Amino acid sequence: MTAGAGLAGPGPADPGLVEPGLADPGLVEPGRGGGLAEVVRRRYLLRLIVRRELRARYQGSLLGLGWSYVRPAAHFSVFFFVVGVFLGMNKNVQHFPIFMFSGLILVSFFNETLINTTHSVIGNAPLVRKVYLPRELFPVASLLVSGVHLLPGLAIVLTVSITWGWTPSVVAVGSALLGFALIAVLGIGLGLMCSALHVFYRDTDKVVDIATLFVTWSVPMIYPWTVVRDTAPGWALDLYLANPVADAVLLFERAFWWPTTDRTFLFPPHLTRDGLISLALAVLLLGAGQLVFARLQRRFAEEL
């Protein structure tokens, strides 16, 4: 059975056979699906695509999903020794490993989501050309695969935090959930736009690669936000804190790192309020991304 046939076969959401003379309510004009709501209704297809993407990514690999642990560990080691040891940040920030790693796993989740969603439609070109299914399935599946890769890093930071005295609290759990929701919504919103644009402009992925480089260094992940506060002019600090990814990183640091310290470190005022505002703006961006994707997907098949 081909991949296309497997995804297009009868399922819970298929209309099945209809009596002669009656219109088939399941027929949908190509390029005019139900958007993200249709993805929710066709969850079984989403599971198939996620499994296929994970299987394809680790096929022939010795470690398989174990690379989900190796990659964040490698990133952590590079940043820790260069910034923490050689540049001395380990002496200036209490429990610097948790401080950095709690932000690193979130930034890695965002960057991986944005890169993979950008390539998601082109990477599934045979299905787009031959089979009708909600094309939003591909960016959403890439988001879920990135979420699978986030779990090992999250388990590591939680284990180390507990070792250093972390205990659950409303502030900690709420900050973690808000930070994750902000990055997930922002990532899929931008991903829908970029995946659609990438079909028509093949250098979109180059722009995304450069953007992810800026994201890594423009958030308080390897240095505290107070460094920007103490060295940059006021307008630059306001612009810096307006970055929703920076808000999410600060929320994750408040969730996992701050409870393990002496709690004298001060976060930006109104961090929760700013995080909620950023989440609301991310939801608006998600709506805009869905509109762009819906408009452009009508020409996906002919462009691919």
Side-chain angles (χ1 to χ4, degrees), residues 44-90:
Y44 69 101
L45 287 178
L46 182 60
R47 288 194 295 269
L48 288 176
I49 294 174
V50 170
R51 290 173 185 168
R52 189 190 65 158
E53 189 167 336
L54 286 171
R55 188 181 302 114
R57 183 170 300 192
Y58 296 111
Q59 187 174 12
S61 171
L62 291 175
L63 294 180
L65 278 173
W67 286 109
S68 299
Y69 292 88
V70 174
R71 290 182 61 188
H75 290 167
F76 170 80
S77 299
V78 171
F79 282 119
F80 177 76
F81 283 104
V82 172
V83 179
V85 177
F86 300 149
L87 298 183
M89 193 62 68
N90 192 36

Side-chain angles (χ1 to χ4, degrees), residues 49 52-53 119-129 138 304:
I49 294 174
R52 189 190 65 158
E53 189 167 336
H119 292 90
S120 61
V121 174
I122 287 183
N124 289 278
L127 288 177
V128 174
R129 289 194 299 263
F138 305 122
L304 293 172

Side-chain angles (χ1 to χ4, degrees), residues 266-281:
L266 296 178
F267 287 96
H270 312 299
L271 177 58
T272 300
R273 182 202 64 185
D274 292 345
L276 290 171
I277 292 174
S278 294
L279 179 59
L281 293 175

Side-chain angles (χ1 to χ4, degrees), residues 30-32 135 200 293-302:
R32 295 183 180 274
R135 279 73 178 269
F200 301 92
F293 192 94
R295 177 176 291 271
L296 294 180
Q297 72 165 322
R298 301 170 188 174
R299 294 167 49 203
F300 280 178
E302 61 187 75

Side-chain angles (χ1 to χ4, degrees), residues 7-58:
L7 291 176
D14 292 326
L17 299 175
V18 295
E19 297 180 13
L22 295 179
D24 185 347
L27 293 178
V28 180
E29 182 181 348
R32 295 183 180 274
L36 293 175
E38 185 71 9
V39 173
V40 175
R41 286 195 291 269
R42 303 212 178 200
R43 294 185 296 274
Y44 69 101
L45 287 178
L46 182 60
R47 288 194 295 269
L48 288 176
I49 294 174
V50 170
R51 290 173 185 168
R52 189 190 65 158
E53 189 167 336
L54 286 171
R55 188 181 302 114
R57 183 170 300 192
Y58 296 111

